[in-house]
Amino acid sequence: MKGKKWYKNQEIAEKYEPKRFSGAGGTYINQTEKSCVKKTLGQIKNKKILEIATGTGRFSLMLAENGADVTACDISTPMLEIAQDKAERKGLTNKINFFKGDAEKLPFKDNTFDKVMAIRFMHLVDDPEKFLKEMARVTKDTVIFDTFNLQSFRILYNKILPMDSRLYSENEVKQLAKKTNLQITKKIDSFVIPFAVYRYTPDLLANTLKEIDYTMLNKQTGKKLSSVTYWKLKKKTKGGKNKSHKKSTDTNK
Ligand SMILES: C[S@@+](CC[C@H](N)C(=O)[O-])C[C@H]1O[C@@H](n2cnc3c(N)ncnc32)[C@H](O)[C@@H]1O
């Protein structure tokens, strides 16, 4: 699996958040991602949620703060240590069960969790179908993930990223859902301007960039160029389609 080794390096782990989520652009990315994930997840209070590839725990902490009962796994010890340290400082250790584990071999029985999620992870996965099947196996109902999109400006720099990064088309996600017996019930398109641009934009210009992004996302052509999409999928009932799952499409605005 791509990135399995990359994030095990102590220095990479320590730089993970400062490099991506500091400054005005980075803060905007962090807040927007969290807002999209919250909207995608829906009700979380008292829900049993598994976060796969929690990294430094950005989302697990947010879930615990909002009343979820969280289990968080990652393969990297240094990333997990940062997450655990943050949870301790926020007094959330009794709400999050951190463990070191491999996303490909989840040590849980079928239907253990209400919701299972993985953010900023599908781009590292070698066999998305196998991984989705594993997510679907351990959840009672809901699977959440995001994809970095093929039809976006991310394609301009994706190839030069050191840990490699898989991009997805909407059609590919639909096919994956079909093969894994999941039904897409919600999608949120976000970030026409890709993450890297925010990271290298001076603080003074970040707001302008944000406004341009919002404007583009509110147009049909802009939405089609979103670099990140948040997906919510539900397990299909035995008879096939679950009629109670109403599909919704949204943007991060
Ligand atoms: C880009 S980071 C995302 C972290 C977090 N989800 C976030 O959005 O900030 C990817 C994470 O996946 C973890 N990872 C890579 N391969 C994994 C695997 N096979 N099983 C579990 N975690 C893995 C890495 O250690 C890293 O923490």
Side-chain angles (χ1 to χ4, degrees), residues 1-8 13 16-17 20-21 30 33 51-60 73-77 79-80 86 99-106 117-125 131 146 148 163:
M1 200 176 263
K2 299 163 189 164
K4 207 167 174 173
K5 275 196 189 150
W6 179 257
Y7 291 99
K8 284 183 179 172
Y16 179 73
E17 288 204 16
R20 289 164 181 80
F21 312 119
N30 193 28
E33 282 188 281
E51 189 193 8
I52 300 166
T54 187
T56 53
R58 286 188 307 139
F59 298 102
S60 284
C73 94
D74 201 281
I75 203 152
S76 153
T77 305
M79 293 292 267
L80 271 177
K86 278 163 61 181
F99 77 98
K100 187 174 171 176
D102 191 335
E104 289 179 286
K105 293 169 234 143
L106 296 172
M117 61 181 272
I119 303 298
R120 287 197 185 218
F121 187 59
M122 284 296 274
H123 67 295
L124 301 174
V125 171
F131 175 57
D146 64 340
F148 293 163
M163 81 297 281

Side-chain angles (χ1 to χ4, degrees), residues 174-207:
K174 284 181 179 164
Q175 289 305 317
L176 278 169
K178 211 171 165 183
K179 284 183 195 161
T180 50
N181 215 26
L182 290 164
Q183 186 183 346
I184 298 166
T185 58
K186 191 177 179 80
K187 81 187 256 282
I188 299 179
D189 294 312
S190 194
F191 298 104
V192 175
I193 297 169
F195 293 151
V197 180
Y198 281 100
R199 268 165 60 181
Y200 297 108
T201 296
D203 283 2
L204 271 173
L205 292 177
N207 230 12

Side-chain angles (χ1 to χ4, degrees), residues 200-215:
Y200 297 108
T201 296
D203 283 2
L204 271 173
L205 292 177
N207 230 12
T208 314
L209 219 57
K210 213 165 92 178
E211 291 306 322
I212 297 170
D213 215 336
Y214 282 161
T215 310

